[in-house]
Amino acid sequence: MKTATFRITTSYGNIRCYPVDATAKLLCDLSGFKTLLPNTLTIMEDLGFICINEINDSTITPSQLY
């Protein structure tokens, strides 16, 4: 599986997931958004990518992005 690394932050109570590595940045560019959204995450997983949290190297799930 291919990996894409993101940084999860909270800004004014909103959860944001910013791309860290080149793969994550390219995937966000393809989606048309600067951050990872739950529906985009699902599509990335369908394409064979695993999205990793930079802080603790855990897999990001759609429920973490709400």
Side-chain angles (χ1 to χ4, degrees):
M1 296 284 255
K2 299 163 264 191
T3 62
T5 307
F6 291 86
R7 177 181 301 125
I8 297 176
T9 62
T10 303
S11 175
Y12 298 104
N14 297 312
I15 298 171
R16 304 276 190 243
C17 195
Y18 293 99
V20 174
D21 64 359
T23 302
K25 290 176 185 174
L26 285 172
L27 290 169
C28 281
D29 286 345
L30 283 173
S31 73
F33 295 97
K34 293 182 181 183
T35 61
L36 182 63
L37 301 174
N39 60 341
T40 308
L41 175 60
T42 304
I43 293 169
M44 289 179 188
E45 289 173 345
D46 290 343
L47 291 172
F49 286 92
I50 297 174
C51 296
I52 303 293
N53 185 351
E54 177 190 47
I55 306 291
N56 57 10
D57 292 330
S58 65
T59 303
I60 300 171
T61 61
S63 63
Q64 289 177 295
L65 303 179
Y66 288 107

